[in-house]
Amino acid sequence: MSEKEWVPQSIDTNVPSIARVYDFMIGGKDNFAVDRQVAKMALEIAPDGPQTARANRDFLQRAVRYLAAEAGIRQFLDIGSGLPTQGNVHEVAQQVAPWAHVVYVDNDPIVLAHSRAMLANDGTTAVVQADLREPEVILNSPESRALIDFNQPVGLLLFAILHHLNDHEDPTGIAARLIDGLPVGSHVAISHFHNPGAEHPELAAQAVAVEQLFNERLGTGRWRTRDEILAYFGDLELLEPGLVPVPLWRPYEVDVEQVGRTLELTPIHYTFVGGVARKT
């Protein structure tokens, strides 16, 4: 079967997709030639991109495990979930709490088709077709309301998604509207492309170059400053170690030495940061 035979006719495989470019970066197979072309152009500027993408995926898994095992979260809303791969949110959360509920949200038709095909029909997971730009639609969708009790703490996951909103689309305001819909005790986990500015001028220049490529070929992608990213959390309580390069957010003890070596070899990790905060 060719790479296009399994694709719904409504999908234009000549147009790159953010989800599929990311899928290629983390070693997935659900991508097309046009996605690989964009990814390889990005790699010419930032050759360590796949390591950073995998580090973001690892951060998501550590954050979800923390939320389930230590914060007691039993329901998750994963917006911009992307193509399914190993260690999906429901798999990680349900290792801790087998009946944890997870709602995945995406607007990419291939993501939706793959997600629905792989989800267990056990009433604990659902997929919502919606756009981050319409937070009320996400919060009030029948699938969200069926699986999530918004009177109980929720784990809101915004991994590698807010940086695909342009400034005029008000990503800070959208994050605030989502957080406003959550009860006290909820947690919010965010990862985002980061421009480190004067602290790492060579990496800042690299971030500008990749941002230009993303906006020319994918139509979206912003490498924002630390203060801009922190603003997404509003007045939430940011948990230790704060907003940091994604490999440094509570690495498992056995990985600390390895992470240290990786950061020394791949400073590009400073262009992808994340954090977790609690609503009090």
Side-chain angles (χ1 to χ4, degrees):
M1 180 182 292
S2 72
E3 70 173 9
K4 296 184 181 181
E5 288 179 5
W6 55 271
V7 180
Q9 292 183 351
S10 61
I11 295 174
D12 187 350
T13 58
N14 295 311
V15 177
S17 153
I18 293 166
R20 298 194 306 264
V21 170
Y22 182 73
D23 176 71
F24 173 80
M25 288 288 194
I26 62 173
K29 298 180 180 178
D30 296 317
N31 50 77
F32 305 123
V34 66
D35 307 305
R36 295 190 286 272
Q37 180 184 21
V38 172
K40 289 174 181 177
M41 291 173 67
L43 292 177
E44 290 179 3
I45 303 170
D48 296 324
Q51 289 174 275
T52 308
R54 288 193 294 270
N56 178 63
R57 189 71 187 180
D58 291 343
F59 166 45
L60 178 147
Q61 293 168 0
R62 293 195 308 276
V64 170
R65 180 169 292 278
Y66 166 81
L67 294 180
E70 299 188 43
I73 299 296
R74 294 295 179 263
Q75 44 188 11
F76 296 83
L77 183 59
D78 182 7
I79 303 179
S81 52
L83 284 158
T85 185
Q86 292 183 343
N88 297 292
V89 171
H90 72 283
E91 294 170 331
V92 176
Q94 290 175 0
Q95 287 176 356
V96 177
W99 292 102
H101 287 186
V102 178
V103 173
Y104 294 103
V105 181
D106 212 296
N107 64 356
D108 187 305
I110 288 185
V111 169
L112 297 166
H114 278 260
S115 297
R116 287 170 177 149
M118 59 83 66
L119 291 179
N121 186 24
D122 60 7
T124 63
T125 54
V127 182
V128 175
Q129 181 171 6
D131 193 293
L132 174 63
R133 297 168 185 83
E134 299 178 314
E136 288 79 14
V137 171
I138 295 172
L139 294 173
N140 294 307
S141 72
E143 297 90 344
S144 296
R145 290 291 165 177
L147 280 183
I148 295 180
D149 178 358
F150 285 96
N151 293 311
Q152 298 297 321
V154 177
L156 173 63
L157 310 178
L158 295 167
F159 282 81
I161 182 65
L162 288 167
H163 54 224
H164 291 302
L165 294 182
N166 292 308
D167 293 347
H168 72 271
E169 294 173 301
D170 189 20
T172 304
I174 288 173
R177 284 152 64 191
L178 287 166
I179 292 168
D180 284 346
L182 305 180
V184 169
S186 295
H187 288 63
V188 179
I190 295 173
S191 68
H192 197 289
F193 293 154
H194 174 232
N195 185 326
E199 185 178 357
H200 297 281
E202 291 184 4
L203 292 175
Q206 188 179 87
V208 170
V210 179
E211 179 175 289
Q212 181 178 353
L213 171 65
F214 265 59
N215 283 279
E216 288 175 353
R217 300 304 299 269
L218 287 171
T220 175
R222 286 281 285 112
W223 273 249
R224 293 188 167 98
T225 67
R226 178 179 180 82
D227 286 344
E228 288 174 316
I229 300 168
L230 282 171
Y232 297 142
F233 294 102
D235 60 359
L236 300 183
E237 176 189 356
L238 195 64
L239 304 184
E240 291 294 335
L243 184 69
V244 294
V246 289
L248 290 183
W249 196 89
R250 303 196 180 191
Y252 297 132
E253 188 173 340
V254 296
D255 296 333
V256 169
E257 184 178 351
Q258 179 182 351
V259 167
R261 288 199 304 270
T262 302
L263 280 177
E264 183 179 351
L265 295 173
T266 57
I268 193 175
H269 280 143
Y270 288 100
T271 63
F272 211 148
V273 298
V276 178
R278 176 172 51 226
K279 187 170 184 177
T280 58

